[in-house]
Amino acid sequence: MRFTKSLMVTSALAILSGPALADMANEMTIVSWGGAYQKSQLKAYVEPYLAEHPEVTVVWDESSAEAVAKLRAMNEAGNITWDLVDVEAADSIRLCDEGLAMEVDFDESLAAAPDGTSASDDFGDSIVSDCFIPQIVFSTTVGYRTDMVPDGTEPPSDICALFDLDKYPGKRALNKRPLANVEWALLCDGVPKEEIYDVLATEEGQERALAKLGTIKDQVIWWTAGADTPQLLADGEIFMGSTYNGRLFSAIAEQNQPIGMLWDAEMLDFDGWVIPDGLPEDRLARVMDFLFFATDTQRLADQAAYISYGPARASSAPLVGKHAELGIEMAEHMPTDPANAKNVFVTQYAFWSDYRDDIDAKFQAWLAK
Amino acid sequence: MTDATHDTTARGKPGPMLAADGTPLKRSLARALRMQKIRALLLIAPLLLFVLVTFIAPIADMLFRSVENDIVANTLPDTVEELASWDGASGETPSEAVYQALYFDLFIAAEAKEHTKLGTRLNYEQTGISSLFRSTGRNLDDLGKDYQKTLKKIDKSWDDGAFWYALMSGEGGEEVLESHRLQYMQLIGQSPRSIISRFWCVIRGIFYKACPTALEDIDLNFTPSAEAAQMLPATVAAYSDFAVFTVLADGDVVAEEDPWEAVYAAFAQDLNAPGTVEKIQSYSGPGQAELLAVTENLADLPAPDFKTTFLDIDKDWGKIENWQTIKIYSPKYTSGYFLNSVDLMKTPEGIDARPENQRIYLKLFKRTLFMSLVITGSCILLGYPVAWILANLPARKANLLMILVLLPFWTSLLVRTSAWKIMLQQQGVINDTLVWLGLVADGNRLVMINNQFGTIVAMTHILLPFMILPMYSVMQTIPPTYLRAAKSLGATNWTAFWRVYFPQTVPGIGAGSILVFILSIGYYITPEIVGGTTGTFISNRIAYHISSSLNWGLAAALGTILLGVVLLLYWAYDRIVGIDNVKLG
């Protein structure tokens, strides 16, 4: 509508006039998750960008886990100290809805693919909200202790092994939030994959999912941080548990733990940038300049050399190379690799933005029972 | 002074005592005291002000959110007004007038991107409203676009912003415009600048830089014509919204911009209102010819059916529950958050219990209180002997022991909690030892973490210093001679302890208990890490609503209740034990 039109014109002007408008702030506060993921961002695009722009300094803030609440507080206080925030896709929708994140015109602000495909086509389905610039695809999947598989039994390869206590006895670790758990429960309770969200939208469907989870409830340790499951696996506390695929990769490839991965029915999700709404012009100009660089095809492919999360651009996939330190081919460790992605769920953001509070309330009440 | 006293006694009259300067002594004394009090107040004023501004005010503001609910009335002002006459329990969807008000309310809200905020707010009460508002906001243009096309076919001028401006502007319509400006300011959560903030702006302008012009002071360069408003009321209203938004939000000039789609929808509605055609025929102002041309083509411009439009966009607009939710939550203040925090809910028929499978808060409140009491109790049991030993050892040894008490105090909370994880888990140190000793079978290891037990153990450990320190400082002041005296008078060890020593330590126990109990009732990190499902506190749920679901109203209500419970217990403690009996040293 009118507003977006004028926004487009101004951003087009900004790009046309380019360096002439070089009124850019030289300090940028980037918010991320810390740990290996932040390191991959540092190596893949922040350090290369700083090499090109030595006048810029980057301040990291490891607050992504509380980004939504903090951005809202900053917005209410009228003092936004962050320039660029890394959040999960679901949070970006919330931020966009609350008017806390800025809407981005993909084709105007981001680099096209090397073959000329426009940015919006190249990012494709990963653009889950107007405010969200995706970086990586990650998945929630299940890892298990290879040395704890009962003798004479095949190692698990099906998601429903989670619910099969006879064949695979032992404790499980699952997320203390309903996401992924309820989908898996319904799938293993015989609901066809394409009907899962229709079923989950009904009261009976939600009860059915909880009832299925109830069959293993006393064997489950509920995790609240992605690092919990690899730790529990390494300690031998659990036989199998869900977590993010990158966490399992580092436990397996970097720490050589006897852990196997399921990939079956992995829950694909995106992580990416949002720009806080209401940045002053000079800071916004710097952020846009950085984003144009940091989300191009090569940079996203480079990130995969440091962490086993897939690039969000289609054009980056063929460029994924070897791990920077371990020297293993990374393509086969990507959640989007065809061999891994035979059976996937893509998180239904629209569904979850509606049902998250409702199902979470029921889920927590059920947990406390 | 002596003279003065002498004077009065000499005269034999029992007059008031006078000070040296002749004023009555009482008044003089009062003045001196008052001066002292003011001086004391001035001395603590910086701290008082600091605490007030940085601590009390934010807390009060946060707690206020537990009843605040003006977002519905601010975002959908006309809809709320129309809905007042709708009976939520009738089982029928609201009338066309409500849908019509909703269309124009939602249109400007969608332009200002405020509609999704409201969607999020209402989604806390009724699942599905969030995406309903989001998708509706995207599709509101379509209705007006059709009319726009038809009008353009009749005459090109209808697609021209300048023509519309000429048609709409004139004299006498200030009131209409100002009411729409006020509505827009409410929509984006801005109130007109108060005298205080205007004064502040003047000061700021002198010393720093001027405030931006207040929204209510910006010249819109547009005055609706009273004649047009009388002839085409809905159109002028929609155009005023458009004008306000164009200037205040986009910073553009009204005359140069093409009106948005809602104006066309409003125009079509006006045209089909009874009497409009006659009014147009007797109208002689700008756009007369174009208006007459339109009246001849009325068949192409049927009245908009707002209800059908909404139902086409999303059939959920026909769901009674959604409308009931909007109506229930339309007042500016709501008890809804508080009801939610005690597992109740608002329905059209009144207050009702929440469905069984959603009840959680009362349980968590009870659990929080119970576990805090247990933790306080175990801290007393474990801390008392330690404090006694500390108080009765020679100073050198006591200091060494004191360091041992304080050492964990200086270690990070997260580290201590994680250490307990390693100790207590099934493959952990304690279980390994028990299995090695043969006390527990390998296949039957104890479950000591991710449950209530784990939380109680870890929190008792973490809070123990808060219990030991006040007990220790009280015990230190008890002379050992008392015990000896008791025994020399024939008391047994137990009687001497229970009748003589223990009563004197009660103030220490009281202080420690209050500290530990109040700290543990609001504890968050430790239960989150080691609490599993049965050992989490209400604070974990508050944290979820603050940082994850963004339902700050509910979080504020839960927090207010928690604060109320603490104050109530404090009051009860004061009544039963007496707060004067609490000693920290």
Side-chain angles (χ1 to χ4, degrees):
Chain A
M1 285 186 271
R2 181 147 311 283
F3 178 66
T4 27
K5 217 189 280 168
S6 66
L7 193 77
M8 268 164 64
V9 172
T10 33
S11 51
L13 275 176
I15 285 164
L16 281 179
S17 44
L21 253 175
D23 200 15
M24 291 191 211
N26 282 335
E27 197 177 282
M28 190 162 50
T29 305
I30 301 182
V31 184
S32 187
W33 301 88
Y37 182 65
Q38 186 173 311
K39 195 180 146 206
S40 76
Q41 293 177 316
L42 179 73
K43 295 277 177 196
Y45 27 81
V46 175
E47 277 182 359
Y49 182 80
L50 293 182
E52 278 183 32
H53 302 269
E55 73 278 13
V56 180
T57 47
V58 165
V59 180
W60 290 94
D61 188 335
E62 302 180 0
S63 299
S64 279
E66 307 95 48
V68 185
K70 285 199 176 173
L71 268 176
R72 192 195 223 186
M74 283 184 193
N75 186 282
E76 288 192 4
N79 180 21
I80 294 160
T81 57
W82 292 347
D83 295 301
L84 195 56
V85 187
D86 189 289
V87 293
E88 284 179 20
D91 284 339
S92 81
I93 295 176
R94 232 157 240 260
L95 289 169
C96 214
D97 279 355
E98 288 276 316
L100 300 172
M102 198 185 93
E103 291 192 3
V104 181
D105 188 302
F106 276 73
D107 296 333
E108 294 289 345
S109 318
L110 303 179
D115 63 0
T117 314
S118 69
S120 52
D121 287 342
D122 200 18
F123 277 108
D125 292 339
S126 64
I127 305 175
V128 298
S129 108
D130 296 333
C131 307
F132 182 64
I133 305 148
Q135 297 165 71
I136 53 139
V137 185
F138 68 97
S139 78
T140 306
T141 181
V142 174
Y144 60 93
R145 284 282 292 222
T146 47
D147 57 348
M148 282 164 73
V149 178
D151 290 331
T153 319
E154 288 276 300
S157 61
D158 184 336
I159 189 68
C160 296
L162 260 185
F163 299 91
D164 195 345
L165 287 173
D166 296 335
K167 202 167 167 195
Y168 301 105
K171 292 223 165 196
R172 276 91 167 115
L174 290 175
N175 193 348
K176 213 174 180 177
R177 301 267 165 256
L179 181 71
N181 295 336
V182 284
E183 282 105 330
W184 288 337
L186 285 183
L187 190 72
C188 295
D189 202 32
V191 178
K193 202 170 141 193
E194 54 277 6
E195 288 170 25
I196 281 182
Y197 287 99
D198 294 336
V199 174
L200 211 47
T202 64
E203 194 86 10
E204 304 78 50
Q206 292 158 10
E207 260 160 36
R208 190 171 166 192
L210 292 180
K212 182 70 180 175
L213 284 167
T215 60
I216 55 169
K217 191 179 176 187
D218 57 348
Q219 291 293 314
V220 175
I221 294 172
W222 304 93
W223 57 263
T224 47
D228 288 351
T229 299
Q231 189 58 49
L232 290 166
L233 281 168
D235 290 349
E237 277 286 297
I238 53 169
F239 167 62
M240 66 198 306
S242 67
T243 186
Y244 310 123
N245 70 297
R247 301 273 188 180
L248 287 172
F249 172 82
S250 68
I252 297 168
E254 288 165 14
Q255 295 156 22
N256 292 313
Q257 297 286 346
I259 297 173
M261 260 168 103
L262 224 50
W263 290 117
D264 185 46
E266 56 170 339
M267 179 68 72
L268 288 184
D269 203 339
F270 302 100
D271 197 276
W273 301 117
V274 295
I275 308 165
D277 195 50
L279 283 187
E281 234 163 83
D282 57 334
R283 280 166 61 192
L284 182 62
R286 172 59 68 196
V287 169
M288 296 314 284
D289 189 60
F290 170 75
L291 270 184
F292 187 86
F293 173 83
T295 58
D296 71 8
T297 301
Q298 186 59 50
R299 248 44 63 183
L300 288 187
D302 288 350
Q303 194 178 2
Y306 302 95
I307 199 150
S308 68
Y309 294 130
R313 274 179 185 260
S315 61
S316 298
L319 302 177
V320 171
K322 287 183 177 167
H323 192 281
E325 281 145 29
L326 303 171
I328 357 173
E329 278 300 336
M330 291 302 283
E332 61 196 79
H333 295 286
M334 298 285 129
T336 42
D337 188 65
N340 301 332
K342 279 182 217 144
N343 181 23
V344 295
F345 275 102
V346 179
T347 309
Q348 297 294 307
Y349 300 101
F351 175 86
W352 279 109
S353 77
D354 276 351
Y355 285 87
R356 180 156 106 160
D357 299 323
D358 183 29
I359 297 185
D360 192 78
K362 288 172 186 159
F363 187 73
Q364 300 303 336
W366 171 81
L367 278 182
K369 239 187 245 171
Chain B
M1 174 142 176
T2 38
D3 287 349
T5 358
H6 181 75
D7 262 9
T8 44
T9 38
R11 274 181 215 148
K13 273 193 217 159
M17 279 222 255
L18 295 182
D21 57 358
T23 51
L25 183 62
K26 208 174 174 185
R27 202 192 301 160
S28 159
L29 217 64
R31 193 199 297 146
L33 267 178
R34 198 175 332 121
M35 288 304 285
Q36 249 176 12
K37 269 186 193 160
I38 290 175
R39 203 175 310 140
L41 198 70
L42 280 177
L43 274 173
I44 63 153
L47 177 68
L48 191 71
L49 216 66
F50 179 76
V51 169
L52 213 67
V53 170
T54 63
F55 189 67
I56 310 280
I59 288 182
D61 178 63
M62 195 67 204
L63 296 184
F64 178 62
R65 287 169 195 266
S66 58
V67 288
E68 187 187 31
N69 187 51
D70 53 7
I71 183 168
V72 185
N74 282 349
T75 314
L76 307 173
D78 296 340
T79 315
V80 164
E81 213 168 284
E82 291 287 344
L83 260 185
S85 56
W86 174 66
D87 178 14
S90 68
E92 280 179 34
T93 50
S95 63
E96 172 74 9
V98 173
Y99 284 94
Q100 182 189 323
L102 179 70
Y103 178 81
F104 295 107
D105 281 343
L106 212 51
F107 197 94
I108 186 168
E111 288 290 332
K113 308 212 179 312
E114 297 286 334
H115 64 304
T116 42
K117 276 187 205 174
L118 179 62
T120 311
R121 161 69 187 97
L122 291 174
N123 200 65
Y124 297 136
E125 317 297 342
Q126 174 71 33
T127 301
I129 292 192
S130 167
S131 63
L132 179 64
F133 272 64
R134 204 179 305 118
S135 69
T136 309
R138 269 191 227 116
N139 294 309
L140 281 177
D141 288 1
D142 298 348
L143 177 68
K145 259 190 197 134
D146 294 341
Y147 290 116
Q148 193 178 2
K149 266 186 224 152
T150 318
L151 282 165
K152 197 179 163 189
K153 251 184 248 162
I154 297 170
D155 192 318
K156 274 245 167 68
S157 324
W158 291 109
D159 209 27
D160 177 22
F163 167 77
W164 272 100
Y165 182 75
L167 179 67
M168 290 289 121
S169 60
E171 281 169 3
E174 287 87 358
E175 253 172 57
V176 180
L177 189 70
E178 288 313 312
S179 77
H180 283 272
R181 189 207 293 258
L182 211 64
Q183 270 190 2
Y184 172 71
M185 285 171 63
Q186 272 176 356
L187 172 68
I188 59 168
Q190 294 232 2
S191 42
R193 234 172 241 175
S194 63
I195 296 174
I196 297 173
S197 58
R198 274 177 197 275
F199 176 68
W200 167 246
C201 274
V202 170
I203 294 179
R204 198 182 108 141
I206 294 168
F207 291 105
Y208 177 51
K209 61 177 183 188
C211 301
T213 318
L215 288 183
E216 66 270 21
D217 294 340
I218 294 178
D219 186 7
L220 299 175
N221 275 320
F222 166 69
T223 310
S225 120
E227 200 184 358
Q230 201 258 329
M231 179 171 64
L232 306 165
T235 318
V236 172
Y239 195 84
S240 299
D241 269 342
F242 157 76
V244 167
F245 188 84
T246 304
V247 178
L248 298 190
D250 292 349
D252 291 329
V253 179
V254 184
E256 293 169 7
E257 299 296 322
D258 298 340
W260 59 31
E261 292 78 0
V263 175
Y264 291 96
F267 185 48
Q269 189 206 329
D270 276 336
L271 286 175
N272 287 285
T276 308
V277 177
E278 291 76 35
K279 280 178 201 157
I280 288 176
Q281 277 158 355
S282 60
Y283 167 79
S284 61
Q288 181 191 13
E290 288 84 352
L291 278 171
L292 280 173
V294 169
T295 54
E296 281 155 27
N297 291 288
L298 262 188
D300 296 337
L301 293 162
D305 185 346
F306 291 103
K307 190 170 182 173
T308 317
T309 308
F310 275 105
L311 290 177
D312 283 349
I313 293 174
D314 199 316
K315 61 176 182 349
D316 279 359
W317 283 114
K319 251 173 90 176
I320 306 284
E321 290 89 345
N322 289 338
W323 284 108
Q324 284 171 341
T325 308
I326 296 177
K327 186 168 162 121
I328 291 171
Y329 287 94
S330 53
K332 294 216 176 229
Y333 298 96
T334 180
S335 57
Y337 291 124
F338 276 102
L339 293 175
N340 284 357
S341 9
V342 289
D343 293 336
L344 301 172
M345 62 181 186
K346 290 185 107 151
T347 64
E349 287 84 31
I351 295 164
D352 206 355
R354 222 156 242 286
E356 180 90 39
N357 63 357
Q358 292 173 23
R359 286 181 216 162
I360 181 166
Y361 298 115
L362 278 182
K363 185 184 247 170
L364 284 179
F365 273 119
K366 279 183 213 151
R367 182 195 285 168
T368 306
L369 286 178
F370 168 73
M371 286 178 69
S372 300
L373 281 175
V374 172
I375 289 161
T376 313
S378 51
C379 276
I380 296 174
L381 285 182
L382 291 174
Y384 199 89
V386 177
W388 187 81
I389 291 173
L390 274 174
N392 287 288
L393 275 181
R396 274 173 59 109
K397 284 184 189 164
N399 281 346
L400 189 74
L401 215 67
M402 189 55 128
I403 288 176
L404 290 182
V405 171
L406 288 177
L407 201 62
F409 209 38
W410 299 330
T411 319
S412 151
L413 176 69
L414 273 173
V415 172
R416 276 183 284 166
T417 309
S418 305
W420 276 112
K421 234 173 155 168
I422 297 165
M423 293 290 285
L424 294 175
Q425 64 184 3
Q426 283 195 293
Q427 308 292 325
V429 179
I430 293 179
N431 262 312
D432 279 351
T433 315
L434 289 176
V435 170
W436 181 74
L437 287 173
L439 294 174
V440 166
D442 196 14
N444 212 359
R445 286 166 179 252
L446 302 176
V447 182
M448 294 184 290
I449 199 136
N450 295 320
N451 54 20
Q452 274 189 7
F453 182 77
T455 308
I456 291 171
V457 169
M459 281 183 61
T460 303
H461 170 235
I462 287 163
L463 295 173
L464 205 49
F466 292 98
M467 185 64 88
I468 293 177
L469 291 176
M471 280 189 187
Y472 165 68
S473 57
V474 168
M475 286 180 186
Q476 247 190 339
T477 60
I478 302 172
T481 43
Y482 287 9
L483 271 182
R484 271 182 250 142
K487 279 191 211 167
S488 73
L489 291 171
T492 59
N493 277 345
W494 170 251
T495 317
F497 167 75
W498 186 244
R499 300 282 299 278
V500 176
Y501 192 78
F502 182 78
Q504 296 182 77
T505 60
V506 165
I509 299 177
S513 302
I514 286 187
L515 270 179
V516 169
F517 183 78
I518 290 180
L519 278 174
S520 66
I521 212 170
Y523 235 63
Y524 157 67
I525 295 184
T526 307
E528 182 76 13
I529 296 177
V530 300
T533 57
T534 54
T536 46
F537 282 18
I538 191 72
S539 44
N540 299 97
R541 217 52 210 149
I542 295 178
Y544 169 78
H545 286 303
I546 287 281
S547 66
S548 214
S549 80
L550 279 191
N551 193 351
W552 286 9
L554 182 56
L558 290 169
T560 310
I561 294 178
L562 201 58
L563 186 65
V565 169
V566 170
L567 291 178
L568 198 74
L569 287 171
Y570 188 79
W571 174 81
Y573 183 89
D574 187 31
R575 290 297 299 270
I576 298 164
V577 183
I579 215 67
D580 298 339
N581 277 330
V582 168
K583 265 192 209 150
L584 283 164

